[in-house]
Amino acid sequence: MSSFEKNNNSMRSRKPSSKKKKTPSEKKPNVVDHKDTNGEREITNLPPSFTSKSAKKKIWSLSFVIIVLALKLFQWQKATVPYVSSSNARNAIELTFLESWSNYVEDAFGYDVYHPLSHTGQNMVNETKPLGWIVVDSIDTMMLMYNNSENNKQRFKSEIERCEKWIIECLDYDIDHNELNIFETTIRMLGGFLSAYYLSTQFNVGNSTLYLDRAIDLGSRLSTIYENGQRSIPYSSINLFTKQTFKSHADMGASSTAEFTTLQLEFKYLSVLIDDVELWENSERCYDVLYSVNNLLGSYYDGLAPIYVQPDSGRFQGNNIRLGSRGDSFYEYLLKQYLLSPKNSTKFYDLYRGSMEGVKRHLVGKSEPHKLTYIGERVNGIHHSSLSPKMDHLVCFMGGLLMMGATEGNNITWSKKQPWFDSVRWEDWKLGAQITKTCYHMYHDIPGTGLSPEIVVFNTGNGNNEQQQNDWWKSDSGDIYIKPLDKHNLQRPETVESIFFAYHLTKSNVFRKFGWEIYKNFKAHGMTSLNNVLTGEPKDNIESFWYAETLKYLYLLFVDEFDLTKVVFNTEAHIFPVLREQ
Ligand code: DMJ
């Protein structure tokens, strides 16, 4: 066991430490207050005080106030108890996971792709050889449920053992397939093995040696992208057998910005486990090129990276700036590299800071009429295009990220009293809370399913943008549009991810209420993807991140104590320990 692990037993027990002094927000009663998403409890309006001329009038008025208060209390209690208790909620989510997982086991165990409606599976690159796409991605969720479960412990243990047996007997990365996406393989498979290794040592479940061995095997194949004088900016895919890498066949060979900048947490944790400093340094090389060649923090880009980069030159290709697909986790891993090894240096926090200031200056808008805050897109860069009010569901990770950046995983009430908590962090916090609320509305405002579409467009109130198209769906609130091709739901995690972070940083029950509502909606709609969130028409596919992320974040929302200063989630919700000593 390495030294940082010895320092990191926080997840072994979920009981709050008796020594920990309760922060003011933790002492507050559990109330649901929809105005509470800033982490600052706002006092709801009390009935105006009254002065009466006669005692009779006073009595009548007093009675009226008592009746109104009693009714309000009744409604309020109904609203505050959507899930009875966190333990009941955990049990329900465990059973949902087990139901969905058992279907996969019965229909398609071991296959990389799962079609739950046709009860079939298939492999991704070669029909005979699987990559473990769903199995490896799901194991650490089962470990977390095993560790916290009151009723289903044995079932999770058996499923973990089933996966381990399959890995030993069926999973072999000597696959001479053509090309495999480096980013997806790293975040899901390498991340999955590393997290399973870490949690198996923490929770004393599973075969930690197996996970470590497999992480080393896969990591050594993937890390050849940095070896033998290879370029600083990796190409997009690899053959795991020959270790040859390939440029993307689309986009004029460009690498996606979010892809080559979302490998670092995995390689850094692996480098510590195998004591390979060079791997750590290699994983950082892309930033020197990206920032210096493009002057990324200068006024032309202002910290906002276009979504394509030519790997040989390191130059951005095009000016399309967005925090959705191909852009998202570039920003996520800037902060998370800092959080992974905060004692190391503030370099990555400073880079993150630069980008967040750019986000606030160029990408934030408000919808009409309800002023929902959104993060839009600049398709031709910040100087040559106005803000497009389109927002991918993928962008919803930004709520949690901004709140984590502001507090570094500490309770907001405590953080606000610290000398380091400045006005910039407070701005970040508020923006994160507002985005989380907007993302909740992307579910809550959809009639019928209560599930978010893949992409929304916000009403800017100008009436002069594309929103005039009459085949767009418009929410009753008037704030949200959905285009015909964007109505699907892939059971993505980003909104419940932000809700999970918001809850543990505030302990405000409003976030549990949000999460419970979304969980119920997922469950009510067959626990599969949807082709159309307005009609509920199902889609015959479950992505591995349903097991790896969505159900994990929902579950951890109802774990009462979770110390966010001790671990970092990779972009696929795999958990790594904070590396205290470098
Ligand atoms: C996941 O694979 C990861 O979270 C990735 O960073 C973005 N998209 C999916 C989930 O939506």
Side-chain angles (χ1 to χ4, degrees):
M1 184 183 278
S2 54
S3 52
F4 58 82
E5 283 171 325
K6 288 182 199 141
N7 293 334
N8 189 18
N9 288 324
S10 66
M11 298 172 65
R12 206 182 279 278
S13 161
R14 295 285 166 225
K15 285 189 186 136
S17 154
S18 53
K19 281 184 199 151
K20 194 181 153 217
K21 234 182 153 186
K22 286 212 163 193
T23 60
S25 77
E26 286 169 337
K27 285 180 190 160
K28 282 177 179 156
N30 287 339
V31 292
V32 169
D33 178 351
H34 280 274
K35 295 174 185 167
D36 192 27
T37 48
N38 276 352
E40 288 289 278
R41 197 169 301 283
E42 288 182 25
I43 297 165
T44 42
N45 287 337
L46 294 170
S49 61
F50 59 93
T51 52
S52 60
K53 288 180 186 160
S54 71
K56 201 176 169 193
K57 198 173 172 194
K58 255 189 188 170
I59 289 165
W60 273 110
S61 303
L62 194 61
S63 315
F64 178 72
V65 169
I66 288 168
I67 291 166
V68 168
L69 283 177
L71 282 172
K72 275 209 179 295
L73 186 68
F74 177 69
Q75 284 174 340
W76 182 63
Q77 279 186 334
K78 257 175 80 180
T80 52
V81 195
Y83 47 82
V84 186
S85 71
S86 54
S87 144
N88 280 15
R90 285 199 305 278
N91 191 51
I93 299 167
E94 286 168 20
L95 292 174
T96 298
F97 181 97
L98 286 167
E99 184 186 339
S100 183
W101 176 257
S102 304
N103 292 340
Y104 168 65
V105 168
E106 200 168 307
D107 294 340
F109 185 65
Y111 281 101
D112 296 328
V113 179
Y114 176 33
H115 306 299
L117 304 182
S118 52
H119 306 285
T120 57
Q122 65 192 95
N123 287 327
M124 286 180 47
V125 287
N126 177 327
E127 195 43 43
T128 56
K129 280 203 162 188
L131 293 160
W133 215 251
I134 295 181
V135 172
V136 178
D137 224 10
S138 307
I139 295 171
D140 66 347
T141 302
M142 291 188 257
M143 289 181 168
L144 287 159
M145 292 184 176
Y146 163 85
N147 188 51
N148 290 283
S149 181
E150 286 155 26
N151 306 317
N152 306 303
K153 231 177 170 59
Q154 200 47 47
R155 289 185 69 188
F156 285 112
K157 191 163 185 282
S158 307
E159 292 308 319
I160 293 165
E161 285 164 2
R162 183 197 301 278
C163 294
E164 291 177 353
K165 186 167 181 287
W166 182 87
I167 291 169
I168 292 166
E169 291 171 2
C170 306
L171 187 60
D172 172 8
Y173 285 123
D174 266 340
I175 311 175
D176 193 7
H177 53 75
N178 287 334
E179 300 178 21
L180 193 60
N181 183 282
I182 293 166
F183 156 77
E184 297 286 3
T185 310
T186 303
I187 64 166
R188 299 189 199 210
M189 302 298 94
L190 180 56
F193 282 129
L194 288 168
S195 181
Y197 163 70
Y198 170 57
L199 295 186
S200 67
T201 63
Q202 299 298 299
F203 302 156
N204 199 20
V205 64
N207 180 347
S208 57
T209 312
L210 173 69
Y211 300 122
L212 183 58
D213 286 351
R214 292 308 181 112
I216 293 171
D217 172 53
L218 181 58
S220 71
R221 292 168 197 265
L222 288 166
S223 63
T224 53
I225 59 175
Y226 296 121
E227 284 167 10
N228 308 324
Q230 297 237 36
R231 60 209 60 77
S232 303
I233 297 191
Y235 290 169
S236 65
S237 52
I238 189 169
N239 178 314
L240 288 178
F241 182 66
T242 64
K243 296 169 189 163
Q244 192 186 351
T245 58
F246 305 89
K247 278 188 184 179
S248 165
H249 299 295
D251 314 310
M252 294 187 291
S255 297
S256 295
T257 305
E259 293 197 355
F260 66 82
T261 56
T262 309
L263 312 169
Q264 288 69 20
L265 293 186
E266 295 78 3
F267 285 131
K268 285 184 172 184
Y269 181 32
L270 179 63
S271 84
V272 171
L273 293 174
I274 61 175
D275 198 14
D276 180 352
V277 181
E278 213 181 323
L279 179 57
W280 179 295
E281 290 168 355
N282 281 345
S283 75
E284 289 188 354
R285 265 180 15 215
C286 63
Y287 296 102
D288 297 336
V289 176
L290 200 63
Y291 278 79
S292 62
V293 167
N294 299 290
N295 190 16
L296 180 48
L297 292 173
S299 60
Y300 189 76
Y301 292 114
D302 207 8
L304 300 175
I307 58 173
Y308 293 113
V309 176
Q310 269 302 330
D312 297 329
S313 66
R315 288 197 188 289
F316 288 123
Q317 177 178 298
N319 277 313
N320 195 350
I321 289 168
R322 64 177 182 228
L323 270 58
S325 61
R326 301 180 190 279
D328 47 8
S329 45
F330 162 70
Y331 305 92
E332 181 182 354
Y333 270 34
L334 291 180
L335 178 69
K336 288 185 173 177
Q337 282 179 86
Y338 167 67
L339 296 177
L340 186 73
S341 55
K343 297 257 163 64
N344 206 24
S345 94
T346 60
K347 172 181 162 186
F348 285 101
Y349 181 80
D350 298 338
L351 297 180
Y352 165 79
R353 182 73 279 124
S355 289
M356 290 308 107
E357 292 314 303
V359 168
K360 289 183 212 164
R361 274 193 283 267
H362 308 290
L363 298 183
V364 176
K366 294 268 186 199
S367 69
E368 294 295 340
H370 293 101
K371 311 279 181 224
L372 294 178
T373 304
Y374 62 84
I375 295 180
E377 303 182 356
R378 297 269 183 179
V379 276
N380 288 312
I382 59 178
H383 301 288
H384 304 291
S385 52
S386 57
L387 182 65
S388 159
K390 165 181 173 278
M391 186 165 120
D392 295 356
H393 184 278
L394 287 166
V395 180
C396 289
F397 80 98
M398 279 297 294
L401 191 79
L402 282 157
M403 287 188 266
M404 279 296 289
T407 57
E408 301 190 15
N410 294 290
N411 178 281
I412 181 61
T413 310
W414 179 85
S415 299
K416 282 178 74 181
K417 293 177 190 148
Q418 307 310 308
W420 48 262
F421 194 90
D422 52 19
S423 59
V424 173
R425 285 179 186 257
W426 181 230
E427 291 302 318
D428 283 8
W429 174 269
K430 285 190 294 186
L431 179 57
Q434 287 160 1
I435 295 294
T436 305
K437 183 177 163 192
T438 299
C439 290
Y440 164 71
H441 276 282
M442 286 163 58
Y443 288 72
H444 184 75
D445 294 3
I446 306 302
T449 63
L451 291 172
S452 171
E454 177 75 354
I455 302 170
V456 297
V457 178
F458 288 97
N459 180 1
T460 59
N462 292 339
N464 61 355
N465 55 24
E466 304 162 290
Q467 294 165 12
Q468 300 308 311
Q469 309 258 355
N470 55 18
D471 59 348
W472 292 18
W473 177 87
K474 188 178 183 182
S475 65
D476 285 348
S477 67
D479 292 68
I480 295 174
Y481 292 90
I482 311 174
K483 293 185 190 179
L485 294 178
D486 301 339
K487 291 176 181 163
H488 50 293
N489 174 292
L490 302 181
Q491 305 170 289
R492 286 195 188 277
E494 292 76 15
T495 296
V496 294
E497 171 180 344
S498 285
I499 288 172
F500 154 77
F501 284 111
Y503 174 73
H504 286 288
L505 297 174
T506 60
K507 291 289 188 266
S508 166
N509 259 355
V510 72
F511 295 110
R512 280 186 162 175
K513 186 172 178 290
F514 287 178
W516 186 251
E517 180 183 317
I518 292 171
Y519 159 72
K520 296 289 268 184
N521 294 339
F522 275 129
K523 187 156 166 44
H525 291 90
M527 297 183 290
T528 184
S529 301
L530 298 182
N531 280 324
N532 187 334
V533 294
L534 300 172
T535 63
E537 181 199 337
K539 179 177 161 71
D540 192 12
N541 194 52
I542 289 184
E543 292 280 344
S544 66
F545 49 69
W546 163 248
Y547 301 108
E549 297 195 72
T550 310
L551 286 171
K552 182 186 287 156
Y553 282 126
L554 280 168
Y555 185 71
L556 294 179
L557 173 64
F558 293 97
V559 166
D560 292 327
E561 293 296 320
F562 195 97
D563 189 343
L564 290 168
T565 65
K566 297 290 197 299
V567 295
V568 177
F569 288 78
N570 90 339
T571 192
E572 188 75 2
H574 296 307
I575 297 181
F576 306 154
V578 168
L579 309 175
R580 301 243 168 243
E581 292 158 26
Q582 292 304 313

